[in-house]
Each structure stands twice: as structure tokens, then as C-alpha cells.
Amino acid sequence: FGKTIDIVSKDAEGYVPNLLGARMQAQLLALPGGAPSTVYPPQPGHYVLTDDIKVFMLADVFVLKYSTHDVTNLDGRCEIKGIPVGKARISALLPSTQVVVEKDIEIKAGETLELPLELRFDAKAQAAAAAAAAASASAAGTSAAPKR
């Protein structure tokens, strides 16, 4: 597939990265001042990057085929450049609840399109998504808990 993620320790701590949903052949270490530890997502999709020592450290990782994506800043805005002219579908995802909003649009040459999208937070949906993720990880034989 060809995509890689390099994990580097930029502080005085060591880390043991684990990309849930990707097969890990060996346990990797990211040591202070050391070389990057590389993880290999097997295909595009949603993964969770964890640390096997500091189990509270979690990050959503989205592996995409194309670079036409962005993550919102603190005020909820983002900018995506390089979308080809023509029809496209814009999708927004709220990872904590797995809520998706999609809208079909048309990109015109030389024009900027401002597109408001609203993702509503639902605590019940968040609890259901967390339970589904835990069940999926358990069924796959993975865990965010430290290995002993």
C-alpha cells in the first residue's frame, strides 16, 4: 500500500507505539533522540494510534488514498486545496461519535467555495461508538492495555 507513519519522541520520554487495526510484527520503541519508529497501515481507513506504556494516549489516524483532506482548526474551519474542477462529495467525520455529514458540490475553476457543515455531538452516540470500538478491538485480539 505504501503509506507509513513515523513516530518520534521529541521529549525526554520513551514510547511504545501501537497502531490498532494494523498488524504489528514486533513491538517498536520511540526513544528520546532516537531514530523514528515506523508503522505501516495496511490500507486506507480509520486507525487508533496508542502507546502500550501510557495507555491514556490515543490519537485517531485517518489514512487516505488522496491528499484532498484537512483537519479543522480550533474555530472549526479548514481549507482544502487542489480539488479538481467538477463534481465532488465532501464528507466530514466526528471521530468520537462516528457521525458523518456529506454534501455533493461542484468545484468551478478560479472560485472559492465556502461550505458550512454541522456535526452535532451526541453523548449516546459517543458511548455507542466507544462500545463498538472496544468490541471490535476485543474480537480482533487487540487491546489498548499494556502487555505483560
Side-chain angles (χ1 to χ4, degrees):
F1 171 62
K3 302 284 183 181
T4 62
I5 303 169
D6 290 333
I7 291 93
V8 177
S9 173
K10 291 190 173 184
D11 56 20
E13 299 287 325
Y15 299 92
V16 182
N18 187 2
L19 188 63
L20 298 180
R23 187 171 179 195
M24 302 287 286
Q25 297 292 330
Q27 208 163 34
L28 304 173
L29 299 174
L31 300 174
S37 293
T38 304
V39 295
Y40 301 88
Q43 61 190 18
H46 176 210
Y47 299 88
V48 176
L49 181 63
T50 66
D51 185 286
D52 282 349
I53 295 173
K54 300 165 192 74
V55 296
F56 57 88
M57 297 181 72
L58 301 169
D60 287 296
V61 176
F62 297 92
V63 178
L64 306 171
K65 289 182 183 181
Y66 310 103
S67 62
T68 53
H69 69 282
D70 200 359
V71 176
T72 61
N73 56 26
L74 292 176
D75 69 357
R77 293 181 163 274
C78 67
E79 182 176 345
I80 303 173
K81 294 181 179 183
I83 300 175
V85 171
K87 293 183 180 192
R89 174 171 285 169
I90 299 294
S91 299
L93 168 70
L94 182 59
S96 64
T97 61
Q98 296 298 306
V99 170
V100 175
V101 173
E102 294 185 321
K103 191 166 192 174
D104 291 321
I105 61 169
E106 184 159 354
I107 305 295
K108 297 178 182 172
E111 290 185 18
T112 299
L113 176 65
E114 191 161 321
L115 181 67
L117 296 173
E118 185 173 317
L119 292 163
R120 294 190 179 266
F121 178 78
D122 180 344
K124 288 180 184 177
Q126 180 189 27
S136 175
S138 176
T142 60
S143 172
K147 295 179 174 102
R148 297 181 184 188

